[in-house]
Amino acid sequence: MLSDDQIRTIAAELAEADRTHSVIPRITARFPDATVEDSYAIQGRWRDAQVAAGRTLVGRKIGLTSRAMQQATGITEPDYGVMFDDTVYRSGEEIPVELFSNVRIEVELAFVLKHPLEGPGCTLEEALAAIDYAVPALEVLNSHIELEGRTIVDTISDNAAYGAMVLGDIRKRPDEIDLRWVPGVLSRNGEIEETGVAAGVLGHPATGVAWLANKFAQHGARLEAGEIILAGSFTRPMWVSRGDSVLCDYGPMGRIECRFV
């Protein structure tokens, strides 16, 4: 377990790395006894400082929910982070690449809640009943910790590597479409790089929403109405650089386009 001083120091390091778009040495290399609980404490300290500075929390991201992502990272359990209003883009927008470090793209669905959702014991059916609508999304990964050898402790501390999200325009209620079979065909500069279907996320993309509600219950918290929940990628992450044009086709849920500048 880390001391409170160590947690505060690491959170400050990550805040500075976020501000300067840089990378810090791996936490678990410096503090091999750090635990998952420590990593959420670091993330929480960083989050609270961001809120105190005037940023507005709009939702949560869930990561590492698919076999594709777990195999890509070597991490075998989901994690979560927070999302602020200044990290939300719409399809068609240009995204400044210098805002991020180790920039990659993931293919996801996002859910907006119409009712609060809490555990323990929250089921997929209860999660679906609490969801107002689903919308296609791309997540921009933003890693401030060196990638080589990182563990889930490093990733969680770094706000689960969340940088930004790009939201599509088509909204579907859970009863309008079988969300398991929403496809994702991800292209960079006109070349298809990754494909997948949303069932790759825990069998159903909304399963992660129930998982998150149950995880929050361990801390006496719940998911609130209006929150955006980014449910996890069903493709491997795709690296992007300045000048890259990205397009993802979600079939019946439309397309997302963006360009990194």
Side-chain angles (χ1 to χ4, degrees):
M1 296 287 289
L2 299 180
S3 69
D4 189 64
D5 283 346
Q6 289 170 325
I7 288 169
R8 182 172 57 252
T9 297
I10 296 169
E13 286 181 22
L14 287 167
E16 179 65 10
D18 188 33
R19 188 184 69 81
T20 59
H21 319 303
S22 57
V23 175
I24 68 172
R26 186 162 47 89
I27 294 167
T28 47
R30 295 180 287 161
F31 305 98
D33 294 331
T35 66
V36 167
E37 289 74 19
D38 290 328
S39 65
Y40 280 117
I42 293 166
Q43 183 192 123
R45 187 69 63 92
W46 173 84
R47 175 202 64 218
D48 291 347
Q50 299 300 306
V51 171
R55 300 180 79 183
T56 301
L57 194 149
V58 295
R60 322 281 174 167
K61 72 148 284 183
I62 310 169
L64 308 177
T65 53
S66 69
R67 289 284 293 169
M69 281 305 303
Q70 290 177 359
Q71 289 174 350
T73 60
I75 298 169
T76 58
E77 62 178 307
D79 63 3
Y80 66 86
V82 298
M83 306 187 299
F84 293 104
D85 60 341
D86 57 0
T87 67
V88 182
Y89 294 83
R90 305 300 308 189
S91 180
E93 288 195 72
E94 293 185 337
I95 302 174
V97 73
E98 70 267 12
L99 296 180
F100 311 102
S101 304
N102 293 306
V103 192
R104 289 149 291 153
I105 288 286
E106 294 179 347
V107 176
E108 315 202 9
L109 291 179
F111 298 102
V112 176
L113 299 182
K114 60 183 176 182
H115 303 305
L117 188 64
E118 58 187 319
C122 181
T123 65
L124 171 61
E125 290 71 25
E126 290 169 332
L128 289 170
I131 290 169
D132 188 6
Y133 60 85
V135 60
L138 294 175
E139 181 179 357
V140 181
L141 294 182
N142 184 30
S143 297
H144 302 105
I145 296 175
E146 59 185 3
L147 299 182
E148 184 67 30
R150 66 180 176 153
T151 72
I152 195 167
V153 169
D154 300 292
T155 304
I156 293 169
S157 301
D158 192 22
N159 196 32
Y162 173 77
M165 63 177 159
V166 187
L167 295 179
D169 298 318
I170 294 181
R171 301 175 176 182
K172 294 285 188 181
R173 297 190 314 272
D175 60 356
E176 288 185 294
I177 189 171
D178 189 340
L179 293 165
R180 297 173 299 170
W181 304 117
V182 174
V185 180
L186 181 63
S187 300
R188 179 181 55 215
N189 302 326
E191 295 289 333
I192 294 174
E193 299 287 347
E194 296 289 340
T195 63
V197 294
V201 177
L202 299 172
H204 190 294
T207 299
V209 180
W211 172 85
L212 186 57
N214 291 325
K215 193 77 172 177
F216 268 38
Q218 297 175 14
H219 307 287
R222 69 179 188 178
L223 303 177
E224 299 294 343
E227 285 198 65
I228 305 170
I229 310 298
L230 198 57
S233 182
F234 47 96
T235 67
R236 294 176 301 180
M238 180 183 77
W239 287 91
V240 291
S241 303
R242 189 188 310 275
D244 283 343
S245 293
V246 174
L247 183 148
C248 191
D249 190 332
Y250 295 81
M253 293 196 70
R255 292 155 45 131
I256 291 177
E257 298 181 65
C258 60
R259 185 168 181 270
F260 287 84
V261 296

